[in-house]
Amino acid sequence: MPGVLPRVVALLLLSLPVAARAQADAGVSLEVQSAPLAPGFAPLTVPLSLLAPGSGQLLRGDRSLGGAMLGTSAGLLGLAFGGAFFMAGTGASDVSTAVGPPLGIIGLGGFLSLGLADAVGTYSGGSEPIPSETAWDAWNATWRGGVTALVAPRAGQPGSAGVTAFGSFRTGRFLATVEAGNVAGTLDGWVVGGGGVKLVGYGAEAPRAGLWLETSLRHEWAGRVGFDTTRWRTQLVSVLPMGLLAPRMGRVTSVLRLGLDPTWVRYRERAATGFEMPLSGGFEVRTGLTDWLRGHVGYEHSRDGLVGGSSIGFLGSFHAGLEVALPGDLVWDVRVVTGTPVAFFTSIEWRRR
């Protein structure tokens, strides 16, 4: 199983972009020129796109792209339900719980990504595959650095607020990241260092897009209860700008993640240790609303550390937010996370292409 799962995940993440690039190299376009639908149809077509990704392109008269999206989304949804039925049919056995959640994350994440891309593409005219406004998007920036503040509405509870400083450097092939944080009013904190390498690129138009292998080492400590942990996260990360499939979807980017988090826990007072290896992953869809405003929604299935995990908890969380481009290469990000508990984040960061 450990050797098979990464290959299956890589195949799923690569299937759609590789198919699109193969047709482009052969001189066959998935997109035809068609006029965008009138905005008045949005109350009808947007829910339809989310339920059947590709239907919006069919309504525009683009049968090639619409059919490809419908077929891919059906396969992704089948994977998610297949994993769920496998778990239910085996009584959530050890084998089924190792297979079902990864298939669910990839299947539902890919399905929802295609649905949102279809909803945007239904009302978009032709544009460049990767619009200029993506120069300040998080996945496409060479340099990033900033500060994030967490506020969770649980008065008096340790971990309900905290500050994180972070930075990263990314080229078309390599990634390096650092992070440090502290929970307000406590001795709890953490430091993180990591990196990554791009395994497969999705197109010369977006050199940082592709399938990445990312890894990080996180050490954290909790002074109030006397323990510390070390987590080694390793994930496959797919960054797919939808503009590589059809220029009219150029403002949408789908990010899928899947991996494992080997974690060691040390209880200092009892001189005891523990080990666990939970699954981590999720998806995020990022779309430019204007040249200076971006929206993002997603889901994360992970334990974001035993110390800094007040926003994520143990079951995962959904998040949504807005990013505003400010003068001087600054970006202001505001997001809400609903998990255990509901939390609010605000970030100021500097991004440079």
Side-chain angles (χ1 to χ4, degrees), residues 115-149:
L116 291 170
D118 184 42
V120 173
T122 300
Y123 299 94
S124 300
S127 64
E128 294 297 321
I130 308 298
S132 59
E133 59 91 18
T134 62
W136 57 271
D137 201 355
W139 65 271
N140 207 26
T142 301
W143 293 97
R144 295 180 61 198
V147 177
T148 298

Side-chain angles (χ1 to χ4, degrees), residues 150-154 157-162 183-184 190 218 220 224 303-314 316-317 337-345:
L150 159 68
V151 178
R154 289 190 173 185
Q157 176 182 334
S160 62
V183 179
W190 62 93
R218 172 186 175 118
E220 55 187 278
R224 66 183 185 275
R303 301 186 187 184
D304 190 22
L306 301 178
V307 171
S310 60
S311 64
I312 301 300
F314 292 89
S317 63
V337 177
T338 174
T340 50
V342 175
F344 300 91
F345 288 86

